Amino acid sequence: MTAALSASPAASGPHVGTTSEEQPAISVRRVSKRFAVYQRQTDRLLELLSRRPRHRTFWALHDVSFDVSSGEIVGIIGRNGAGKTTLLRLLAGISPPTAGEIDVNHRLSVILELGSGFHPEFTGRENVLLGGAVLGMSDEEVRRKYDSIVEFAELGAYMDMPYKTYSLGMQARLAFAVAISVEPEILIIDEALAAGDSAFIAKCFERIRQICESGATVLFVSHNTYLVQRLCRRALWIEGGRLAGDGDPAIVCRDYEAVLRRHEQNAARALLDRRRFQDDQIDAVGPNTIVEPRSAGENPHQWGSGELRLTGVDLAGPGGAAQDVYYAGERLTIRLGYDGHAPYDDLACVVLVTRADGVAACGLDAAESGLRVPPLSGRGSFELALDPLVLGRGRYFLSPHIYRDRDGIGAASDVIVYHDRQYELRVERHGRPYDVAAEQPATWRHSTF
Amino acid sequence: MAWRYVGAREADAPLILRLLAVWRHRRLLRRMAERDLRQRYAGAAVGYAWVAIYPLLLVAFYTAVFALVFRGRLAPGGSPQEYALYVVSGLLPWIAFSEVASRSTQAMAEQRSLVKFAVFPVQILPLTALYAAAITQMVGLVALLAFAAYVNGGLSTRVFLLIPVLVLQNVFFAGVAWLLGALGAVLRDVRELVSIALTLGMFLTPIFYVASDAPAPLRLVLALNPLTHLVSGYRAALLPAAPLSPESAVAFSLAAAVALVGGFWTFERTRVFLADIL
């Protein structure tokens, strides 16, 4: 049986990514950053003259500590304005911390803004020279690397055209190609990949991994939790200027998404409240089916209308007992116990299986396997057999959920119960430990003529 | 508050070493300055040439007005060519100075993204104005030497005085560029103040008149104005009648040293905040 994962941000604690004898590549100790916000420019001048404060203070970062060791790929996630870019600017030495200490032990290359120093009127070729110089390379060094930069960016035919004629994706490619040509010991990338197409992103990932294998450290900032899970082995989550999570990307991203979802729900509820207020005027209040606010202390990864509870999610191997790991090719049984009252005839029951890097591995839908879910009342259980288990070796998370399948579209208000990535499944394979996506059953035949 | 960047940050070095380290970025400075120039004249048919055309026309215009319309003469009965040479040799360094002063106030704001979002030696940004002014100076200087040779019927060995004068001039300008670069970034109003000061300064520097002819209170202002001494250096080199003034040489050397250290110090004090306020 798998225990519910309890990796709340508070519980995961500060991550120490270094062995005792090795100095971390980046060390951040209790760093805070305060900004003075002036309403008007005149206030700045008056404050300077009178020495009396005329500004509001704003803490962009508050008491943030972490270490990053050489060769790590660390993802940094967080909402807009959470303090991610401020943190990067402190790490890069562009702006000083108000309190705390930052140690950076290596040569940095920073892409905080795409193509810093690039100019739209100049050709791609000139911008490579300029951008390289801005990143601290000598002319000779840039010329030596020029061909490999152009090759990486795949812009050979466009290098003599003005940069402004490039598409956003092409601009991103060129800027990224220049930035990684620095051979940095620490590479910091802020949202730079967002404009690239998926093929280019895959290529960048490959290159970033190469850079890391040679001992360099990469900090990768993105809103895109999927990219972070694909690329990184560790994630930092900044929320409201504080470090809210640090550790396994799968867990940190799940927690982050839970907070995002709550904000969406709050926004939806606020909208509904406003509508209801307007509806009151014409005396026609519709049924309020939106998810009710959770009380504090409730698990943020479980939500729903509250009509039904999942009492247990049990896994069993071929012997009928729970195992630490399950083997591909063998039988896996998942039992979902429930309790409550949901007397609807349009219920759907699904278990979504997500790989640790964020890829949705499979969705197990009761209706699609031929089971019509009856109206549920009292206690009971579903049992689904995966026989044989064909998932590849790796770590997976199960998200069982029951919802009302009204229009074939899942709306937040239709969810009866949802446990988001709350159960872990480890899959191993017999034979050599290949990392593969699936263990496709296959039959070989050989013949000679 | 502490930062320790091992081998990566020159910003922690003593001021004098940081000043010397500017030299290491000379290639980048040239590239940035060229970019700046190309950007300014992008799309213009004669492009770069405007760098020289504008100041040369300005000099020709002012000289014509003062020598021919106002009939200025250095001494009663002096030749108009002599007066024209006097004016031109004062105008040329003045135009270079006003270009450096006015452009450096905007240098940081124009490169906002480099200051805020890149690891970049921002101390070279104000100096890009110096580079553009230097190109103007080269062209202007050739024209000036030709004009001086025509008026004086040849050049004396005093011409070599221009070498130390030019060196000191650029040291002085660099200090001014750093000072105004920092102030202009912190407070936008500085840009407007500088353009007013430049308009006034043109007449508070002995360009169109002789310093000793000025009324007593103005003479004090002139003596305190470093550009008075710079201009007198040019004249000592180019006008046979102009006196060699060791006091001026000492005064301007002092001014250049103070400007360089003071300007760089101000800039370095401000630069840590620049990324936050721009």
Side-chain angles (χ1 to χ4, degrees):
Chain A
M1 164 180 171
T2 53
L5 297 168
S6 63
S8 70
S12 59
H15 176 105
V16 181
T18 51
T19 52
S20 52
E21 67 266 27
E22 195 196 352
Q23 211 190 358
I26 298 171
S27 157
V28 175
R29 288 274 153 272
R30 308 197 57 123
V31 162
S32 299
K33 176 70 185 183
R34 183 185 58 207
F35 285 112
V37 184
Y38 292 89
Q39 208 114 52
R40 290 162 302 170
Q41 282 294 311
T42 331
D43 287 342
R44 195 186 291 276
L45 186 66
L46 287 175
E47 181 178 299
L48 212 65
L49 297 177
S50 68
R51 306 213 153 267
R52 241 187 317 144
R54 285 178 159 272
H55 62 259
R56 287 180 299 115
T57 55
F58 165 70
W59 289 91
L61 282 178
H62 206 92
D63 203 11
V64 172
S65 301
F66 60 90
D67 282 343
V68 179
S69 52
S70 291
E72 263 194 300
I73 311 182
V74 178
I76 300 178
I77 53 172
R79 284 184 292 149
N80 281 330
K84 295 177 304 228
T85 301
T86 303
L87 176 65
L88 294 193
R89 284 170 60 198
L90 296 191
L91 291 180
I94 295 167
S95 127
T98 311
E101 285 184 16
I102 298 174
D103 282 8
V104 175
N105 290 313
H106 298 283
R107 177 174 172 180
L108 273 167
S109 172
V110 183
I111 324 176
L112 285 184
E113 201 185 49
L114 261 187
S116 317
F118 280 33
H119 194 275
E121 294 286 344
F122 297 172
T123 65
R125 184 185 306 274
E126 289 165 326
N127 271 313
V128 168
L129 287 172
L130 199 63
V134 165
L135 289 170
M137 285 192 278
S138 68
D139 278 15
E140 194 255 333
E141 198 179 346
V142 183
R143 286 213 177 82
R144 197 156 34 81
K145 291 173 176 167
Y146 181 80
D147 288 337
S148 66
I149 291 173
V150 174
E151 196 195 313
F152 187 85
E154 297 169 26
L155 289 171
Y158 304 96
M159 291 311 287
D160 288 316
M161 284 164 63
Y163 190 63
K164 66 179 176 188
T165 62
Y166 289 21
S167 72
L168 277 181
M170 288 157 74
Q171 293 184 355
R173 261 147 60 185
L174 191 61
F176 189 80
V178 172
I180 54 171
S181 70
V182 184
E183 290 165 22
E185 283 160 330
I186 298 174
L187 177 65
I188 298 181
I189 308 163
D190 188 4
E191 298 290 352
L193 294 177
D197 58 33
S198 58
F200 185 71
I201 289 177
K203 193 167 161 184
C204 291
F205 278 12
E206 194 48 46
R207 185 58 178 267
I208 289 171
R209 289 205 184 93
Q210 276 173 18
I211 291 174
C212 284
E213 271 157 26
S214 65
T217 309
V218 175
L219 293 186
F220 174 68
V221 179
S222 184
H223 298 295
N224 190 332
T225 52
Y226 176 69
L227 290 185
V228 168
Q229 290 177 73
R230 284 251 325 265
L231 183 66
C232 309
R233 273 170 218 112
R234 179 181 165 200
L236 300 175
W237 167 26
I238 311 277
E239 179 74 28
R242 288 167 199 272
L243 194 62
D246 179 353
D248 191 329
I251 306 288
V252 173
C253 289
R254 183 197 66 183
D255 293 350
Y256 168 61
E257 282 164 15
V259 167
L260 280 189
R261 199 164 40 235
R262 196 165 67 216
H263 280 278
E264 272 166 30
Q265 285 170 1
N266 286 344
R269 192 175 304 119
L271 188 70
L272 192 86
D273 287 347
R274 267 207 304 282
R275 282 221 194 102
R276 196 182 331 166
F277 175 72
Q278 287 162 357
D279 290 347
D280 276 343
Q281 317 277 324
I282 53 168
D283 196 32
V285 184
N288 174 20
T289 49
I290 198 121
V291 182
E292 281 309 309
R294 276 187 306 274
S295 58
E298 224 178 298
N299 186 334
H301 308 299
Q302 302 180 356
W303 66 91
S305 64
E307 292 157 289
L308 209 64
R309 231 158 33 82
L310 282 180
T311 52
V313 175
D314 300 316
L315 306 186
Q323 296 168 200
D324 288 338
V325 295
Y326 297 87
Y327 286 90
E330 294 181 355
R331 179 187 166 93
L332 169 69
T333 322
I334 306 173
R335 238 180 59 94
L336 308 175
Y338 67 85
D339 186 8
H341 187 66
Y344 310 114
D345 53 9
D346 54 1
L347 289 178
C349 185
V350 175
V351 176
L352 181 68
V353 182
T354 316
R355 208 164 64 186
D357 63 359
V359 171
C362 59
L364 310 166
D365 188 327
E368 285 179 1
S369 71
L371 175 73
R372 202 183 151 272
V373 181
L376 302 177
S377 193
R379 296 166 65 91
S381 72
F382 291 96
E383 190 172 288
L384 58 155
L386 283 59
D387 194 14
L389 181 62
V390 297
L391 295 174
R393 178 175 180 264
R395 219 172 138 210
Y396 297 85
F397 298 97
L398 307 182
S399 310
H401 49 282
I402 298 173
Y403 62 97
R404 297 187 64 181
D405 190 11
R406 282 204 251 232
D407 308 306
I409 308 165
S413 55
D414 292 334
V415 175
I416 309 284
V417 60
Y418 201 120
H419 285 193
D420 186 28
R421 282 165 279 179
Q422 289 278 279
Y423 309 94
E424 191 181 1
L425 165 67
R426 280 178 187 275
V427 178
E428 271 299 333
R429 79 192 295 271
H430 293 300
R432 297 183 194 149
Y434 292 135
D435 279 319
V436 290
E439 296 289 352
Q440 169 66 47
T443 314
W444 286 73
R445 206 173 279 155
H446 173 240
S447 44
T448 51
F449 301 105
Chain B
M1 155 171 159
W3 256 334
R4 287 190 297 268
Y5 284 81
V6 178
R9 277 175 62 83
E10 61 192 37
D12 299 329
L15 193 74
I16 186 72
L17 289 184
R18 274 182 271 162
L19 187 56
L20 293 175
V22 172
W23 178 248
R24 287 203 297 123
H25 298 299
R26 62 192 183 281
R27 284 242 175 79
L28 182 57
L29 170 61
R30 206 185 74 198
R31 206 164 265 294
M32 292 302 295
E34 276 167 6
R35 170 192 130 142
D36 198 37
L37 283 177
R38 293 216 16 208
Q39 190 179 329
R40 249 201 289 168
Y41 300 107
V46 291
Y48 259 35
W50 281 112
V51 177
I53 293 172
Y54 168 73
L56 289 181
L57 281 178
L58 201 66
V59 168
F61 174 73
Y62 271 114
T63 311
V65 168
F66 279 88
L68 302 177
V69 179
F70 294 150
R71 295 181 177 283
R73 296 290 180 269
L74 275 188
S79 76
Q81 289 95 331
E82 195 190 11
Y83 176 71
L85 183 60
Y86 181 85
V87 170
V88 172
S89 58
L91 262 178
L92 200 68
W94 171 262
I95 286 172
F97 175 75
S98 63
E99 175 162 356
V100 168
S102 61
R103 289 205 66 81
S104 60
T105 54
Q106 298 172 37
M108 306 305 284
E110 276 174 6
Q111 304 296 341
R112 195 173 159 274
S113 73
L114 282 183
V115 179
K116 277 184 90 81
F117 299 110
V119 180
F120 186 82
V122 289
Q123 65 270 32
I124 69 168
L125 288 177
L127 301 187
T128 53
L130 210 62
Y131 188 91
I135 293 181
T136 317
Q137 275 270 290
M138 299 287 203
V139 180
L141 208 58
V142 172
L144 179 61
L145 286 174
F147 188 46
Y150 161 72
V151 173
N152 300 331
L155 293 170
S156 75
T157 45
R158 277 212 206 170
V159 156
F160 293 105
L161 279 177
L162 278 177
I163 293 168
V165 167
L166 281 172
V167 170
L168 285 174
Q169 172 191 317
N170 281 299
V171 169
F172 178 72
F173 285 4
V176 170
W178 273 319
L179 179 73
L180 293 179
L183 296 182
V186 173
L187 208 61
R188 235 211 79 109
D189 310 59
V190 170
R191 297 177 209 171
E192 310 307 321
L193 288 175
V194 164
S195 70
I196 294 171
L198 285 174
T199 312
L200 277 176
M202 192 171 196
F203 296 98
L204 294 177
T205 307
I207 295 172
F208 304 111
Y209 54 88
V210 182
S212 52
D213 292 349
L218 183 59
R219 274 213 295 273
L220 180 68
V221 175
L222 293 181
L224 291 174
N225 178 358
L227 287 168
T228 304
H229 306 296
L230 173 62
V231 164
S232 91
Y234 270 81
R235 285 173 182 154
L238 294 169
L239 291 156
L244 288 175
S245 157
E247 309 92 75
S248 266
V250 171
F252 190 68
S253 307
L254 214 62
V258 169
L260 185 75
V261 175
F264 191 65
W265 181 81
T266 312
F267 187 85
E268 290 289 301
R269 285 291 300 267
T270 331
R271 72 179 286 174
V272 286
F273 311 112
L274 285 182
D276 294 343
I277 61 178
L278 266 179

